[in-house]
Amino acid sequence: MRNDRQRAASMGKCAGRERPKGASGRMNFTRERDRDFIRACSAVMERYRRLGRSVTERRIVEEALRSGAPFYYISLDHSLERVSKLLKDSSYGDRSIRCTARREMWSEITGKVAVELNRGRSTLTQCVAKVLERGSASRFFISLPYGIKIFRNHFKRQVGYEAV
């Protein structure tokens, strides 16, 4: 009989996305995250366009960052490793994660996993897998400057776009 980790890994999903064959450990979902972030930016821009109001790129990015992300864009293996350490030592995140947005993401995930664990019906691996597959992130966990960089890199290719 396989253990929980093997069972969860065999589910073929990772942060709500299909896992490429043979993939494990830390996976890079940067393209998917950036694509979803650009969609959120486009939705903000469209909303302002319909209102007939101008908007700065900073405001677009700020609103898109806060809009919520459909996934966490991280692998089960990496999440399991990180959440396990954070549950054992809550100060681990403060020491090991320099980026504030990442620290907030891990705090949110760990909190959701703790709620699942308190229900008492699932193992840690099952709880982490549930959070990644079912839960959407409260926001895009990237910094404002990096969000602006993604926005500019995408929209500079668009006809008529100028940074405001």
Side-chain angles (χ1 to χ4, degrees), residues 37 40-41 44 59-68 139-140:
F37 178 69
C41 289
V44 171
R59 177 81 179 237
I60 293 166
V61 170
E62 287 172 339
E63 289 189 28
L65 287 172
R66 289 190 308 259
S67 69
R139 67 186 213 78
F140 284 93

Side-chain angles (χ1 to χ4, degrees), residues 62-129:
E62 287 172 339
E63 289 189 28
L65 287 172
R66 289 190 308 259
S67 69
F71 305 100
Y72 284 103
Y73 309 101
I74 51 176
S75 71
L76 175 61
D77 292 342
H78 180 58
S79 299
L80 189 56
E81 175 187 326
R82 182 71 67 160
V83 168
S84 178
K85 288 177 182 176
L86 286 165
L87 287 171
K88 289 176 187 169
D89 178 8
S90 61
S91 67
Y92 169 76
D94 294 336
R95 294 190 317 267
S96 66
I97 307 168
R98 291 186 307 262
C99 176
T100 303
R102 286 250 168 213
R103 199 169 30 252
E104 290 171 357
M105 178 188 72
W106 288 113
S107 177
E108 180 174 304
I109 292 170
T110 303
K112 288 180 178 183
V113 168
V115 167
E116 289 292 327
L117 284 171
N118 286 335
R119 292 186 177 145
R121 292 181 232 129
S122 303
T123 65
L124 177 61
T125 302
Q126 291 167 333
C127 292
V128 172

